[in-house]
Amino acid sequence: MAVEPLLATRAQRAFLATITIQAIVVLVMVAITFRLVDVKVDLTSQARYKTVPCYLALFALAEIFELFMAFDALRLRNIIQLLGLLIFHVALMVFAALQIHQTRTALVIMTASECAANFDFVRCPGSGTLWTQIRPFLIVAPCVIAGSWLVMVFWIKQLYAEFGWAIFHVVGANPKMKTMYQWYQIMICLLKFDFFFFLGVTMQLLIVVLKTNSAEFGVTIAAIPVVLSLLILCGLAVQREIKWIMTVSLAMMLAALSYFLYKLVRFYQPDSSEQYLTTRATLTTFSNCCIYTVVWNICCWSSLFRRL
């Protein structure tokens, strides 16, 4: 039985089409939200209003990343990466749902009694306000993501059967080789997701939260090349089985884990919690995802290291 070429089967084309259509619909909803807010609000006047453009930028990044990961998984016949995409899609749905609350927190800052005395189209809740105009578009996004997730599950079941033969072609029937190949796939997949979640945390901090003259801004900027170097080193070490680079990468992973734990604590410390008010929920979600993937990376790394 020959291995099918890329996008030669109905399941592959349908899976990629599902993600593409979902991405288009969600980005249209987010773009409409941004446009409605941009018309009525000076987004540069207050830091809290930057939540909306940051939301658009993150979703654009997430959808492009998901399309790349889907195509990459189909190209590599990587069923583990496809399962990782299902988990990522759930995280995307949670992010979209959290954004409803965060957008309301950023825009609605007046109580009902204050609005009764002095109505403000932007800052008031209730009917006839900006919030009621954009809320339906914010709600549609997680609903579309949830519906597409169910369709993705169906097609991944078809792809699981299809890719099993492709994996056999790569590693043969040797159980040890099959186990090592699985660990290798998990490791590479986690490194790709690490890149996205780290980029998501950094983007939110630099756009919405941090002031350019603060020490934390400098720490965040300095962390970018360090973490990117870590990811490149990890990928190089896994592909070429260089043990000394593996050891260095493990040490750097522990440093990265400490950095993400530090940022997570900062979100809730009394002296800094106010500046994270409009992005705390999504920053916490992204940071926890970073911590989770780094911990899994360390576990996979240790297991792979022992088997070499």
Side-chain angles (χ1 to χ4, degrees):
M1 182 179 176
V3 177
E4 294 286 352
L6 178 63
L7 300 181
T9 65
R10 179 168 170 257
Q12 291 185 37
R13 293 192 298 270
F15 179 75
L16 199 61
T18 300
I19 293 179
T20 303
I21 294 169
Q22 173 267 146
I24 292 170
V25 173
V26 169
L27 286 177
V28 168
M29 295 299 106
V30 176
I32 292 172
T33 302
F34 174 75
R35 177 60 181 165
L36 289 172
V37 174
D38 188 45
V39 168
K40 299 294 182 181
V41 178
D42 180 5
L43 297 175
T44 61
S45 61
Q46 294 185 44
R48 65 190 304 121
Y49 293 145
K50 292 181 182 178
T51 300
V52 179
C54 184
Y55 172 52
L56 174 63
L58 273 175
F59 250 111
L61 176 67
E63 296 296 355
I64 292 169
F65 175 78
E66 189 174 39
L67 273 171
F68 164 77
M69 289 289 283
F71 185 82
D72 189 54
L74 296 177
R75 180 180 64 86
L76 298 174
R77 307 295 194 269
N78 190 337
I79 194 65
I80 290 174
Q81 190 163 310
L82 290 176
L83 295 175
L85 274 175
L86 284 180
I87 299 172
F88 178 78
H89 212 69
V90 172
L92 202 59
M93 181 171 58
V94 171
F95 171 62
L98 288 173
Q99 197 59 41
I100 300 172
H101 165 72
Q102 291 196 164
T103 303
R104 189 183 191 281
T105 302
L107 295 176
V108 180
I109 57 176
M110 294 175 66
T111 63
S113 57
E114 290 173 335
C115 291
N118 185 22
F119 180 79
D120 188 292
F121 177 74
V122 174
R123 296 182 295 173
C124 284
S127 59
T129 62
L130 177 61
W131 168 243
T132 56
Q133 283 187 3
I134 66 173
R135 183 172 54 189
F137 301 106
L138 290 169
I139 292 173
V140 166
C143 295
V144 170
I145 294 170
S148 63
W149 185 85
L150 297 174
V151 180
M152 286 169 63
V153 170
F154 173 80
W155 291 118
I156 284 178
K157 286 177 66 178
Q158 311 295 316
L159 292 169
Y160 182 80
E162 180 184 320
F163 289 172
W165 182 250
I167 294 171
F168 180 79
H169 267 253
V170 174
V171 299
N174 188 326
K176 183 179 178 181
M177 285 296 296
K178 185 177 179 181
T179 302
M180 287 192 67
Y181 186 68
Q182 286 175 341
W183 281 112
Y184 167 77
Q185 284 189 317
I186 292 171
M187 187 72 202
I188 294 297
C189 182
L190 285 172
L191 288 175
K192 294 171 185 175
F193 285 115
D194 270 335
F195 170 77
F196 171 78
F197 287 122
F198 170 73
L199 206 59
V201 171
T202 305
M203 185 183 293
Q204 291 179 81
L205 289 172
L206 296 181
I207 294 177
V208 183
V209 179
L210 300 179
K211 297 178 181 179
T212 55
N213 59 353
S214 66
E216 200 167 348
F217 184 88
V219 171
T220 304
I221 292 292
I224 294 174
V226 174
V227 175
L228 291 180
S229 300
L230 165 64
L231 296 176
I232 293 169
L233 272 176
C234 287
L236 183 67
V238 170
Q239 288 179 342
R240 302 192 180 182
E241 299 180 2
I242 307 172
K243 286 193 174 184
W244 74 267
I245 296 183
M246 288 187 176
T247 305
V248 172
S249 298
L250 274 171
M252 291 182 70
M253 278 184 185
L254 292 173
L257 185 61
S258 302
Y259 169 77
F260 288 124
L261 287 171
Y262 159 75
K263 298 303 291 185
L264 192 60
V265 170
R266 286 287 295 164
F267 301 155
Y268 295 92
Q269 284 183 328
D271 64 329
S272 59
S273 61
E274 184 65 27
Q275 70 182 115
Y276 297 104
L277 181 64
T278 59
T279 54
R280 185 185 297 146
T282 52
L283 277 171
T284 301
T285 303
F286 271 73
S287 297
N288 280 324
C289 288
C290 285
I291 292 168
Y292 180 76
T293 52
V294 168
V295 169
W296 263 102
N297 262 322
I298 292 171
C299 294
C300 293
W301 207 255
S302 301
S303 179
L304 190 62
F305 191 87
R306 289 194 302 269
R307 285 172 167 81
L308 291 178

